[in-house]
Every structure is written in C-alpha cells, then in structure tokens.
Amino acid sequence: MANLERIVSVSIALDTAGISKEGFSTIGILGVHAYSTNRSDTVTDVDDLKSMGFGVTDPIYLAASAAFDQTPRPSQVKILRWDPAGAGVSVGTVAAGAYNLTVAATVSGSPVTKTYTYTASASDTAATILAGLKTAIAADPAAVVSGTVATSTLALTPVTAGTLIDYTISSNLSISWMTPTETIAAALSAVVATDNDWYGLILADRTSADILAAAAWVESHTKIFITAIAESGAILASVSTDTGSLLQAKDYYRTAWMYHDLAATEYADAAWAARVFSIDPGGETWALKTLAGITADGLTETQYTSVTGKNGNTYEKVRNILVTQNGEVAAGEWIDIIRFRDWLQEEVATDVFTLMKNSNKVPYDDVGFAMIEAQVKKALDAGVTAGGIAPVEYDDAGNKNPSYTVTVPLAA
C-alpha cells in the first residue's frame, strides 16, 4: 500500500511551553521556625501548619490564620523560614515512658533522619531525661546536631553551620527556637533562591529593627511588604522616632504600614493583604476593606491624622462598618499603583519573551518592530481591562484622549 506521506506530510509543533509569570496574589509569611528543612513551604489551610508542628499561638500560625479567615480566602500561603540558631528542648511532663526527638536534614544532597529516644523510669527527673537524650545524640557519629544541657533545657545546634534542621518531638517534650544569627536580608535572599513565586511579604516579628530590615530588603526586589505596629508614638504627630516615621523618612515605595493596637496578637497586615490580593492587579484599592477576625481601633481624628500624616494606614469603625483607611505605602504612593506597575512590567516582559521564543525569527526591521509593538499593546490592553490604565476617553469637543501611547522607532 502506498504511503499517504508521499502526497501529504503533516507536522504539528507543540509550542505549549511558555515562560512562567510571577504571581502577584501570593503571600509569604516570614518567621523563625524549624518545622521543615525547606526555606519555603506552601500551605492551603491552618491544619497544614498544625501537621507541621506549629502551635495555635505561634506568630506564624496567627498570621496565616488571619489570611485564611478572609472572604474570598487565598488558595495558598507560603511559610518562609528565618532559620533559628538552634532549638531548645525541655521536658513538658515528667513520667515513665519514652521521650523521642527526631531531627531531619539534607546532607550532601541526601535526606537524613535521626531519632533519639530516652526511656524514663518513674524515678527519673527532667534533668535525667534531657541528659539521656544528649547521651543518645553524642553516641551517634553521624549526628547532624550537637546537644548541651543547661538548667532545664537541652540546647541543640547544627553540627555544620547553616544546615537547615527539622525538629520533631514527642508530646511529653516542648521546643523553642534560639534567636537567629542570620539577618532578615540573608533569610529572604535564601528564600528567593529556592522559591521566588510570591509577592506580598508579611513579617511574623513585630520588632522595629526587624521591620526596618525587611523594608530595606524589599525595596530592591519586586515585592510588597505589609506590616502592622502598635507603638504609641505612631499615633502622636510630635513623635518622629516610631517605626512608621522611620519608614516614611526612608521614602520606601514597597512597604505599607498599618497602626493596629493588637498587632502583637492579631495580624491585620496578613488579613489586609489576603483580602486585597483576591482582586487582580489594577482592579483594587486598599482602602475601605473589611477584614474578618480583626478588631478595629477606636482612634480619635487627631490620632488618625497623625498616622496618615506619616503615610500610615488604619482599621477603624465608620458608623457601623469596619474598614481600612488610606491605602498608601510609606513614600505616599497608593499601594495598588505599585502592585499594578509590577504586574504590568511582568506582562510586557513575558509577552515579548514568549514572542521571541515561539518565533523562528523576530527580524530587525519594521516588521519585527511591529511584532514587538503588538505584544506591548497586548499587555497594555490587558492593563486597561484590569482597570489599572484608564480607557479611551473624549473631551467636550469630541477630541480623543487615548488610554496609552506606544512610540516605535523606524528600523532605519
């Protein structure tokens, strides 16, 4: 039988592989923890955090819970690890039975998991139990942690500095984290080296120095940092040393701060970001949003003016409605403008790249220039549809006011 390909030869090219686009609706919560060996973990609800080992009073848990409380709720939140210097293990309940400590790490590219057990008798004390766990670790020539007993705590540190350790304990033990030795900038740089697909940064820590450090790092990256402070000086116009004033003085365009009296326990910043990130870039404002599960502040007009005078934001009750007020970054620009600008830049870059990747050639002539112009206009038209760029309008005389203009030089 004659082959059909003598007459008709068909070839179908699969140009389905496109460049990934950065997401502008994903929150990353940075906090100190060692419940995973990853710099970034994706969770879809708070039960995922409980499974990892987080307690319901942990700042990271509270921040994630505030995000997931919103309607619409985010489909996911990323937990970003700020590596502690080590862990402190103590005995929660002294009783006969097994006390288990499991540590996991990645060594030379391979996962390593070690479990150390001390079986206590009825006469054992907390000190005896901790000493027994320390002895078990010391007896392991391939241990990834070393232990030191001080008072009522077994201090655990990585044998090799910089190794990310995942600690798991039995229910009769408790664990706490040592103060990190790595800076916030180092932690965030390590995070983006493995996972850069997130946009809004929430810091579980409320320390002024840490907020300022996070703001400094974010300013040179395509991210937005939302934070909340409860400093009394923030609501006083005469004070210029509070964190809000310092952020304003730095003229930060990528950091927005909110005064919230319960910032230590309620994460209005995470709730705010989650609520607004449910809206596509260009279609939102950050003002007049109601946040589920967040207590509103009862500020006087003078206090409100003091906060907004420092380019801060508030969450207050207006008549019978709870709403966010202002919607600005520390430099005074609107938050939605910054987010839309980042989104539009990404749209133009990826659309032009996709054209070049999927074309055999984009010639350096007027035809090639027009091909690139079409991709730029495609992104701008998407910006008009999203609401970030004004549509075409006309004045009283019927003259056209275009929503944008694109100037393309001649190849010559």
Side-chain angles (χ1 to χ4, degrees):
M1 182 181 292
N3 194 325
L4 179 62
E5 287 194 359
R6 291 182 191 173
I7 304 171
V8 180
S9 178
V10 178
S11 177
I12 299 177
L14 298 177
D15 285 328
T16 56
I19 186 172
S20 62
K21 295 185 178 182
E22 292 184 357
F24 292 92
S25 298
T26 302
I27 296 170
I29 300 173
L30 178 70
V32 179
H33 81 89
Y35 290 123
S36 166
T37 57
N38 301 319
R39 281 290 184 173
S40 173
D41 287 284
T42 300
V43 298
T44 57
D45 57 42
V46 291
D47 288 338
D48 290 343
L49 290 170
K50 291 179 181 177
S51 297
M52 291 175 66
F54 286 96
V56 296
T57 60
D58 189 290
I60 293 176
Y61 181 95
L62 294 174
S65 180
F68 285 125
D69 280 348
Q70 305 313 303
T71 302
R73 72 192 297 275
S75 60
Q76 63 179 24
V77 167
K78 297 198 174 182
I79 307 303
L80 315 180
R81 174 170 171 159
W82 184 7
D83 193 32
V89 174
S90 57
V91 178
T93 303
V94 178
Y99 290 77
N100 299 315
L101 166 67
T102 300
V103 295
T106 300
V107 179
S108 300
S110 300
V112 174
T113 301
K114 304 274 188 174
T115 298
Y116 305 102
T117 300
Y118 178 78
T119 302
S121 64
S123 61
D124 279 334
T125 64
T128 307
I129 295 167
L130 296 178
L133 288 171
K134 175 191 172 184
T135 300
I137 294 171
D140 180 6
V144 295
V145 297
S146 59
T148 303
V149 176
T151 315
S152 58
T153 303
L154 171 61
L156 302 170
T157 54
V159 171
T160 303
T163 301
L164 299 182
I165 308 294
D166 173 7
Y167 298 90
T168 304
I169 56 173
S170 53
S171 60
N172 48 12
L173 295 171
S174 61
I175 196 166
S176 60
W177 312 125
M178 296 181 185
T179 302
T181 55
E182 72 173 1
T183 63
I184 281 184
L188 287 169
S189 295
V191 167
V192 299
T194 60
D195 181 6
N196 197 31
D197 191 17
W198 53 275
Y199 182 67
L201 174 64
I202 302 297
L203 184 63
D205 193 307
R206 298 308 199 191
T207 306
S208 180
D210 293 337
I211 290 174
L212 293 169
W217 182 90
V218 166
E219 197 66 16
S220 60
H221 295 78
T222 308
K223 310 286 184 189
I224 282 182
F225 173 36
I226 312 295
T227 190
I229 64 174
E231 300 167 23
S232 58
I235 56 177
L236 297 175
S238 59
V239 176
S240 60
T241 55
D242 60 282
T243 304
S245 295
L246 296 176
L247 292 170
Q248 182 189 39
K250 289 288 187 179
D251 204 34
Y252 284 141
Y253 277 84
R254 294 187 170 277
T255 294
W257 69 275
M258 170 186 285
Y259 174 80
H260 191 231
D261 190 50
L262 299 178
T265 55
E266 288 187 5
Y267 281 78
D269 44 350
W272 195 23
R275 172 64 184 86
V276 181
F277 278 3
S278 66
I279 308 168
D280 290 335
E284 90 278 19
T285 65
W286 288 66
L288 304 179
K289 297 297 182 287
T290 298
L291 310 178
I294 302 301
T295 305
D297 288 317
L299 301 179
T300 66
E301 286 302 308
T302 299
Q303 292 170 332
Y304 167 77
T305 302
S306 297
V307 172
T308 56
K310 300 174 184 182
N311 295 334
N313 305 275
T314 64
Y315 187 56
E316 300 175 77
K317 189 174 185 178
V318 178
R319 296 285 177 93
N320 61 325
I321 302 296
L322 310 182
V323 292
T324 57
Q325 294 280 281
N326 211 16
E328 292 184 343
V329 296
E333 182 57 272
W334 301 112
I335 307 172
D336 56 288
I337 295 296
I338 302 299
R339 183 176 177 231
F340 177 75
R341 180 191 63 180
D342 290 343
W343 173 86
L344 184 60
Q345 181 178 6
E346 179 75 1
E347 286 292 302
V348 172
T350 54
D351 285 351
V352 172
F353 176 86
T354 300
L355 166 71
M356 294 180 168
K357 184 263 179 190
N358 290 339
S359 302
N360 289 329
K361 179 180 182 180
V362 177
Y364 193 85
D365 57 22
D366 291 338
V367 173
F369 284 20
M371 293 168 66
I372 292 178
E373 178 189 13
Q375 294 305 307
V376 173
K377 287 184 174 180
K378 174 187 172 184
L380 292 170
D381 286 339
V384 174
T385 301
I389 300 175
V392 174
E393 297 175 337
Y394 296 87
D395 62 20
D396 291 341
N399 298 313
K400 181 179 180 179
N401 181 26
S403 56
Y404 63 82
T405 58
V406 178
T407 302
V408 182
L410 296 174

